[in-house]
Amino acid sequence: MNATWHADPAVLASYAAEELDDVRASSLEAHLLACEHCRSVLAPMVPASQLDEMWHEISAVIDAPRVGLVEQVLVRLGVHEHVARLLAATPSLRLSWFLAEAFALGSAAVTAQNLSRTHAAGASLFVFLVLAALAPVAGVAAAFGPGVDPAYEVGIASPMRSDRLLFIRAAAVLSASLMITALAALALPDLDATVTLWLLPAVGLTFATLALATWLQPITAAAVAGLSWLFLAAIASVVSTDLLVAFGAGGQIVSVLAIVTSALVIANRHSAYEGRIPS
Amino acid sequence: MTVRADGDDTLLAAVAAGDREALAALYRRHAPWLVLRLSRRCADPGMVEEVVQDTFVAVWKGAGRYRATGEVPAWIWGIGIRRLISRLRQQRPIAIVGAQADDSTVSAEDEVLIGVEHGDLGSALGRLSPELRAVVQATVLDGLSTKEAATLLGIPQGTVKTRAARARRELREALA
Amino acid sequence: MSIPTVEITDVHKRFGRTTALAGLSFDAPAGITGLLGPNGSGKTTLLRMAATVLAPDTGQLRLLGWDPSVSDERLAIRRRLGYMPQEPGFHRSFTAFEFVDYIAILKEMTERRARHDEVRRVLTLVGLQAVMDRKIKALSGGMRRRVALAQALLGDPDILVLDEPTAGLDPEQRLRFREIVSERAADRTVLLSTHQTEDVAALCPRVIVMLDGSALFEGTPKELTDIAAERVWLAAERSPTARLSWRNPDGAHRNIGDAPDGADLVAPTLEDGYLLLVGERAFAEGEAA
């Protein structure tokens, strides 16, 4: 809609210079709301540099990527914003992964609850404990490496050190895993010491995986650590006829030893994480 | 950069669909007058710039809420002036009690002011004191409520009412 | 040639029983250097080494004067490097902006506002400013390639390594790509590999032709074209002395090889020179076997 009357360009210029008197300025403002022609005459009279700067600021806000739930929580917990973005790009730190983990562990705990007065009591508890110990290992496997990180090659060529990235992600995966497991463990039949038996093995296996990853690809390291532990646990339970021996006193001590040894290996060989492309 | 010949309504619809270039076009058209108009109500140029920025971010986010009444500039002004007021409110804590301002665009009285330059009304307004004129501008031209005008001008609501009443009296006398 | 910024010396690389690079040597100065060669010639392997992603079995590389086999120097190179791999991978649920932002973090840009400005800058450079907020899985193939190019341009690197950057792009997109790269190349080093001889002819003051893991030719496009000087002719059909021959759209046969007397010679193109070079070598190897 254009008014039939147009403002004198000299008046517009005076308005732009903030030198026009109040009455005429108010009148002009009302007119500008309705007249596209006068608006376009006025526009070049405002400094372009000022307008460009403001647009720059506006772009910064509207182009900022939406921050996912996980990232928001992390930033609340005091994690630096760029670290939170890195973690958000980790497959095993997505909501879908958490839900899958929670579901698996929750089901195992509930099953143990249901079967607690039966012959299968020990077996169902064993299943839960095994899942709890292996959960962070699977998480670490899914956090890093060519199989799961689509931008892997570009990542290697970037200055960020692979070990730093791996540690950040492994720490996040481990913490998340432990929290989910702790919650799921509330569904276990007896809320006694058995509720914590998985903790040291879980941490020990995670450290062992990271230590092995100085020689192998993370996925392979996780597989080796997880499967060999499972194998040994099975043998031990057959030999001692106690299903849960892997989580007993001996198992806990072994876990602590694993943590200490792995930590030493990692400290010594951490530069070996330098990315490798599978040939 | 291509110059878009689309009307404001079309551009706004495009913005609602996420078209960033459409927002840039709206910005080029409307930011200049918005800067100047806000500068006449707020002496702080930094705040004016921030308000203009906030306004266009609000346009980006709220483009879908605009009902095509053909009054895009007035809608943008409504957002802008209210942003300015809420900023001022944060700075000068005035106890605001009462109903929320309605979302209307500029009142119809401003139509009267077109062509006022050499008319009786113009000179009558010119003879009002600056304080009275400011109240007239805020309540008539900008369509603000008493509460909003109070925040904008930094005076109590009671003062807004008395000054508005006095301005009306003086204008009636001058035009009689 | 001015001071070389890339020096490749007698590099060898084997993967199992396959030899990818067999004693490759060349130098590249600032500016654009094109790598031409058939599949399997070792271009990708070489570019991966230039991007510090792969190490050679034997031989030496120097990039911007630094040695990538030394940990600290490798880090220094990576800080000045942009790499676009042959098969760029993306987190598909990320938007274009988010993906480039993620790579920017990997490139140590920790300050959020400056980083976002830089992400916007590179996406605008490649012409994607209108689709920054669209998910990568919703972008066309050509657009995805441009996202991959954008991330390589982050931080305005001194050395750009681009592996088949124009693969799958239509002619208009290729033209746009050439504009972007030639503007960047002023005093920077660009190493790019391609199948398209037109890209090389239009863009690269320097060409390396690779075959079977070593450099067959190193020089200017004109020198490569001149290899085919007076060795390209038109005839009604395939000529017996031609190494290579094919039918033109207008029915005549274009022959490359040793021209017989009185043949209808035509001016050679870069592609002719390339084909003659690669064809001859392959031909010679076939005879020696």
Side-chain angles (χ1 to χ4, degrees), chain C residues 22-39:
Chain C
L24 177 70
S25 297
F26 72 85
D27 288 341
I32 310 178
T33 301
L35 288 175
L36 267 181
N39 284 332

Side-chain angles (χ1 to χ4, degrees), chain A residues 1 5 11 15-16 18 22-27 29-33 39 42-43 46 50-55 57-59 61-63, chain B residues 8 20 23-24 27 30-33 35-37 39-41 49 53 56-57 60 73-74 106 110 113 116-117 122 125-126 133 137 141:
Chain A
M1 179 187 54
W5 167 84
V11 170
Y15 175 68
E18 302 190 21
D22 266 358
V23 175
R24 288 198 295 172
S26 300
S27 155
E29 284 175 355
H31 173 71
L32 285 170
L33 280 186
R39 285 198 296 265
L42 179 67
V46 178
Q50 182 193 23
L51 292 173
D52 286 343
E53 265 178 47
M54 289 195 289
W55 177 249
E57 297 291 320
I58 295 169
S59 305
V61 175
I62 65 176
D63 292 336
Chain B
D8 286 339
R20 203 177 165 279
L23 184 73
Y27 176 80
H30 298 288
W33 65 257
V35 168
L36 292 173
R37 189 163 173 167
S39 296
R40 275 193 69 232
R41 284 139 182 84
E49 286 189 3
Q53 285 158 204
F56 281 90
V57 171
W60 171 254
V106 175
D110 63 285
L113 289 169
V116 87
E117 200 172 305
L125 277 173
R133 237 192 345 261
Q137 178 177 271
L141 197 60

